[in-house]
Amino acid sequence: MDIGDRASVLSTPWVEKYRPVKIKDVAHQTEVVAALEQAVERGGGNLPHLLFYGPPGTGKTSLALALVREIFPKEILSQRVLELNASDERGIRVVREKIKGFAQGAVGQAKVKDGKTIPSFKVIILDEADAVTGEAQTALRRTMETYSTVTRFVLICNYISRIIAPLASRCAKFRFQPLPTEVSFNRLSMICKSEQVTASEDLLKLIITRTNGDLRKALMTLQSASRMVPHGSEIGDKEIALASGEVPQELLERFRSAMFADSSFENVQSVVDDVVLGGYPADGLLHQLCDLLVEEDYAELDELQKSALIMKMARAESCLADGASERLQLLDVGARGMYISKSRENSSSLFKV
Amino acid sequence: MVVKMEVDGKDPKAVKKDLMWIEKYRPTSMDDVLSHQDTVLTLKKLIDGKRLPHLLFYGPPGTGKTSTILACAREMYGKTLGSMVLELNASDDRGINVVRDQIKTFASTKRIFSSGVKLIILDEADAMTSAAQMALRRVIEKYTQNTRFCMICNYVNKIIPALQSRCTRFRFGPLKREDLIARLGEICKIENVSIEDEAISALVDLSEGDMRKCLNILQSTDMAEAAKNGRITAAAVYANTGNPTPAEIEECLQWLLNDDFNTCSRKLSGLLEKGLALSDIIREIHKFMMLSSLPTKARIFLYKELGEIEFMLSKGVHEKLPLNALVGVFKATAMLAVEEGQGATG
């Protein structure tokens, strides 16, 4: 291997390098894998429109790409497949011109080549379809039906509730499940071996719990952590904490004691300042706090107090998703936490109808 | 009822083999249209008497709106379909210019050799701009002599009132259970799908009266299961769509009502790891709780909070906090229910 080669290998993100190529390589999603393999075996002819949905990093895009790669031979892949993702412009104009234009085009009869049937349709992959505007989705409805003889759609999204009902009802829906720990673990340790990275079992498990079953995120974390240590030496907790951008335990501890033990708003304020100025994600802090509260032997708050606080935190997270200010939401949670921890005697008053 | 499959005299199987089932089994004549007997009967009478008014079809997806009007058109025009019908849907540009040019031109001209009125089908009319809808008002009236309009939409409130009042409205409600079951049975027979009766009723439950959804689930389940077991079970239908089974929901409720906070939270996360979506669980729990005997105030609290959690999830936040909030909501509801009970007796 010469130097140029090595440099290019080093710079590929592992998520791309280890992206599954075949349908059966996609981990864990047994139902959809079985369905698609069978469809490919039959020559792909009776493939319905597909809608893949599920949390990020579970293999949706990989599976769609693997599918078209198995249906069509390499030479005609670019004629038969149109892939659009959120980085392309996807307003109503694109649906009317580009998508409809591609969908309308005729293709030759199904034919057999090298023992494989090449079906007589094209495939349009709409990645991140939940980011397509509602107006444009409406315009897709009839296009999907009218040209279904020559074009199949694969829609990919995280949140099925953002796909309008008429579109969803036109597709066969497959939910991609979050990967169980042992599946992710096997994948990560396989990659560790082939990349010659030393990491203990516990550490890999730690990465997986921190990334909530998102294999892509886990791989990214692993790769960036492996860059922080000299080649060949073992990765430690510290590197993982840095690479995954989580809030340090010390800050979390301070936030907790400011709310419950000290019950001082000044302290809450100073922790929140440190979190925001330190560039740590507010929803990460809320998640870690939540983990802490549901730990087995946690007894600082009683059941009702805990319920009230977590309901508040969930609400704050949803506000954050709407684009609210991190600082204000955290202060809000902090202040509410102080109030809740004080009302231990009459915690039923926390819920007013 | 037999599915008609003649396509220009060619072997129907060869032509239709590659079609998805939702297209393959689209009704071709008015007799094939499932449910909505009254609507179909009324339409037939109107067509026979040559007294067709402007039409407005509305209702949830997959209930046969487009199929009905296409079947109507086929019945009315037969071979001259192409020259007598203009079909526009939201994938065509439909701003005010199209109304002014294309629709007006088509509506204002008369065919020399064929009698009768022309038909303009505006599919997905709820996606038309309101400016274009305004422009339609006079067009509809002016050319009533030789053109009829049929507007189709999911949401009738997005059609401006002035247009609504110019049309006869037909509501297409969700399809009836028996109809769906009968039709699914026929299709399974034609496609050689072996399916259990419970699986059919699970399909119907999941589809909520949407024929298209029904067929899509059936086809995707068939693709996944036929190779494995050769027979579709109710469990397979639920697994394939990622929906929780009724038994799982009951188990969830047991946990939520009886276990302490932390145990319940852990058990529920375990369930989510198996691949269920929290929003589906909440939807089903909601149905179960409708049947419970909670006192009023606790009930109000529960529904309000369930709704709020569902709303959070629709924004796409991570499921962890909403899940624990759900546990919290049940803890609080139980407390409120007890308190209310005491208030009533004491």
Side-chain angles (χ1 to χ4, degrees):
Chain A
M1 199 189 278
D2 65 36
I3 296 168
D5 232 40
R6 184 167 164 72
S8 78
V9 167
L10 275 179
S11 61
T12 350
W14 292 352
V15 277
E16 288 306 329
K17 195 168 162 192
Y18 294 99
R19 194 186 269 286
V21 187
K22 290 244 164 75
I23 293 181
K24 66 169 169 20
D25 293 344
V26 173
H28 187 57
Q29 317 295 347
T30 41
E31 262 108 28
V32 54
V33 166
L36 292 186
E37 282 208 302
Q38 206 226 342
V40 169
E41 234 166 71
R42 286 190 196 168
N46 64 350
L47 203 70
H49 294 309
L50 300 170
L51 174 61
F52 294 165
Y53 67 106
T58 48
K60 298 180 295 296
T61 311
S62 300
L63 191 59
L65 292 176
L67 173 72
V68 293
R69 241 179 265 132
E70 286 196 18
I71 302 182
F72 303 116
K74 222 176 188 170
E75 312 87 79
I76 62 165
L77 201 62
S78 59
Q79 305 161 19
R80 291 295 185 88
V81 180
L82 176 68
E83 194 200 342
L84 291 172
N85 58 48
S87 62
D88 305 300
E89 202 212 329
R90 290 187 309 180
I92 192 157
R93 213 174 43 83
V94 176
V95 172
R96 279 187 186 138
E97 288 160 18
K98 204 166 175 188
I99 295 185
K100 208 175 166 192
F102 184 82
Q104 273 170 332
V107 285
Q109 286 280 311
K111 58 182 174 227
V112 180
K113 196 184 168 195
D114 304 334
K116 263 173 72 183
T117 331
I118 304 168
S120 59
F121 58 73
K122 294 161 288 174
V123 174
I124 297 183
I125 300 177
L126 268 182
D127 208 345
E128 291 145 47
D130 38 8
V132 175
T133 58
E135 200 190 17
Q137 286 190 35
T138 322
L140 259 180
R141 290 185 290 189
R142 274 304 279 170
T143 308
M144 281 176 71
E145 281 182 358
T146 318
Y147 306 111
S148 62
T149 40
V150 285
T151 306
R152 299 297 145 82
F153 283 82
V154 182
L155 306 183
I156 300 175
C157 64
N158 292 131
Y159 310 114
I160 195 163
S161 43
R162 296 205 188 150
I163 303 288
I164 57 170
L167 262 199
S169 104
R170 281 169 172 79
C171 303
K173 282 183 279 191
F174 291 103
R175 179 172 199 275
F176 280 59
Q177 308 174 348
L179 301 175
T181 315
E182 64 269 20
V183 173
S184 308
F185 180 77
N186 289 342
R187 205 61 166 222
L188 284 189
S189 48
M190 186 272 284
I191 290 170
C192 276
K193 212 173 278 167
S194 79
E195 291 289 336
Q196 293 166 358
V197 171
T198 350
S200 66
E201 273 186 28
D202 290 340
L203 189 87
L204 291 185
K205 286 201 174 122
L206 180 74
I207 297 181
I208 293 163
T209 38
R210 293 279 159 78
T211 48
N212 299 314
D214 179 343
L215 192 52
R216 180 169 42 207
K217 212 164 161 191
L219 260 184
M220 288 306 251
T221 312
L222 183 65
Q223 188 174 16
S224 18
S226 76
R227 294 261 172 83
M228 291 174 192
V229 293
H231 190 73
S233 56
E234 189 167 330
I235 305 174
D237 293 6
K238 212 178 79 213
E239 279 81 19
I240 296 298
L242 273 174
S244 64
E246 71 172 35
V247 183
Q249 283 302 317
E250 175 256 338
L251 273 178
L252 185 65
E253 222 26 71
R254 266 176 62 203
F255 190 55
R256 178 171 95 164
S257 58
M259 274 195 294
F260 306 145
D262 326 346
S263 190
S264 129
F265 192 68
E266 278 78 44
N267 289 4
V268 170
Q269 220 167 353
S270 90
V271 187
V272 171
D273 273 344
D274 287 350
V275 171
V276 175
L277 295 179
Y280 298 110
D283 52 347
L285 179 67
L286 293 179
H287 281 185
Q288 282 169 260
L289 187 60
C290 176
D291 284 340
L292 196 79
L293 289 177
V294 296
E295 247 171 42
E296 214 137 334
D297 48 357
Y298 186 81
E300 215 166 341
L301 300 177
D302 69 18
E303 300 257 294
L304 285 175
Q305 286 176 310
K306 207 188 281 181
S307 306
L309 184 58
I310 288 185
M311 280 161 71
K312 178 72 209 172
M313 282 156 57
R315 218 158 280 163
E317 192 197 21
S318 123
C319 291
L320 286 173
D322 276 342
S325 137
E326 296 199 332
R327 200 187 144 77
L328 284 179
Q329 290 303 324
L330 285 184
L331 283 177
D332 189 15
V333 169
R336 182 77 184 158
M338 280 166 57
Y339 175 75
I340 288 172
S341 79
K342 271 192 180 159
S343 48
R344 177 149 207 161
E345 298 314 312
N346 55 344
S347 48
S348 61
S349 67
L350 290 170
F351 304 96
K352 291 259 165 57
V353 180
Chain B
M1 195 158 53
V2 180
V3 181
K4 299 200 174 69
M5 299 218 295
E6 306 91 338
V7 180
D8 302 333
K10 283 184 217 158
D11 177 16
K13 283 236 167 88
V15 178
K16 293 225 167 178
K17 203 183 71 186
D18 272 4
L19 278 185
M20 302 176 299
W21 293 358
I22 49 170
E23 290 301 322
K24 194 164 167 186
Y25 296 105
R26 189 186 273 286
T28 45
S29 80
M30 287 179 76
D31 298 322
D32 289 348
V33 175
L34 212 57
S35 284
H36 314 302
Q37 303 300 343
D38 304 340
T39 309
V40 172
L41 222 63
T42 319
L43 280 174
K44 268 192 163 165
K45 262 187 215 151
L46 290 170
I47 292 175
D48 289 343
K50 299 209 184 307
R51 285 184 292 128
L52 197 69
H54 298 300
L55 301 169
L56 173 62
F57 291 174
Y58 66 101
T63 49
K65 300 179 295 296
T66 309
S67 298
T68 306
I69 191 64
L70 288 178
C72 270
R74 228 168 272 135
E75 210 129 305
M76 281 163 70
Y77 302 115
K79 280 202 170 146
T80 56
L81 191 80
S83 61
M84 297 297 277
V85 177
L86 176 68
E87 193 196 341
L88 291 171
N89 58 52
S91 66
D92 307 299
D93 191 9
R94 288 190 310 183
I96 193 157
N97 284 331
V98 176
V99 173
R100 286 193 181 130
D101 305 334
Q102 220 177 334
I103 296 183
K104 228 170 147 182
T105 321
F106 184 83
S108 60
T109 49
K110 244 188 162 157
R111 292 274 142 187
I112 304 177
F113 298 113
S114 40
S115 56
V117 293
K118 295 191 202 176
L119 183 66
I120 297 183
I121 302 173
L122 291 173
D123 208 345
E124 296 150 17
D126 40 6
M128 287 176 82
T129 60
S130 60
Q133 291 191 28
M134 301 277 189
L136 257 183
R137 288 177 302 185
R138 275 305 284 161
V139 178
I140 288 190
E141 280 181 349
K142 223 165 152 188
Y143 304 108
T144 304
Q145 276 262 304
N146 50 353
T147 310
R148 294 290 178 274
F149 283 83
C150 176
M151 285 183 278
I152 301 177
C153 61
N154 293 126
Y155 313 105
V156 76
N157 53 350
K158 290 199 179 148
I159 306 290
I160 59 169
L163 275 188
Q164 287 188 34
S165 78
R166 284 171 171 79
C167 303
T168 311
R169 306 193 336 179
F170 289 100
R171 186 184 133 76
F172 283 67
L175 300 179
K176 277 191 229 114
R177 234 188 132 78
E178 315 82 85
D179 291 337
L180 279 175
I181 291 176
R183 180 65 175 205
L184 280 176
E186 284 166 31
I187 291 174
C188 285
K189 212 177 276 169
I190 301 176
E191 292 289 339
N192 278 326
V193 176
S194 87
I195 185 167
E196 283 170 10
D197 285 350
E198 291 88 62
I200 289 202
S201 84
L203 262 177
V204 174
D205 283 343
L206 286 174
S207 70
E208 292 162 335
D210 178 342
M211 188 68 208
R212 187 159 44 208
K213 206 165 166 189
C214 227
L215 277 185
N216 271 323
I217 300 177
L218 180 65
Q219 190 176 12
S220 57
T221 317
D222 176 52
M223 281 165 63
E225 290 301 307
K228 265 191 280 173
N229 313 321
R231 190 165 176 79
I232 297 177
T233 59
V237 172
Y238 283 115
N240 230 286
T241 47
N243 273 300
T245 62
E248 279 169 325
I249 294 298
E250 251 169 78
E251 206 178 8
C252 272
L253 276 177
Q254 289 302 326
W255 299 339
L256 282 169
L257 294 170
N258 302 328
D259 288 343
D260 69 278
F261 197 108
N262 295 353
T263 325
C264 184
S265 159
R266 251 191 312 284
K267 282 181 178 167
L268 279 178
S269 339
L271 201 61
L272 290 196
E273 231 167 71
K274 266 167 59 193
L276 295 178
L278 188 58
S279 51
D280 290 333
I281 295 181
I282 289 181
R283 194 190 59 225
E284 296 302 321
I285 279 182
H286 175 260
K287 281 185 202 157
F288 265 88
M289 292 312 285
M290 299 281 255
L291 307 172
S292 72
S293 55
L294 275 177
T296 321
K297 271 191 185 161
R299 188 180 282 254
I300 294 173
F301 174 81
L302 178 68
Y303 289 157
K304 179 175 157 272
E305 295 298 329
L306 282 184
E308 196 142 330
I309 296 176
E310 209 267 326
F311 178 53
M312 285 173 198
L313 287 168
S314 74
K315 290 184 206 164
V317 295
H318 190 271
E319 284 177 341
K320 184 189 282 177
L321 279 169
L323 172 115
N324 286 301
L326 176 69
V327 181
V329 167
F330 269 83
K331 291 280 157 269
T333 309
M335 184 273 296
L336 286 173
V338 170
E339 217 169 55
E340 213 174 325
Q342 281 168 355
T345 50

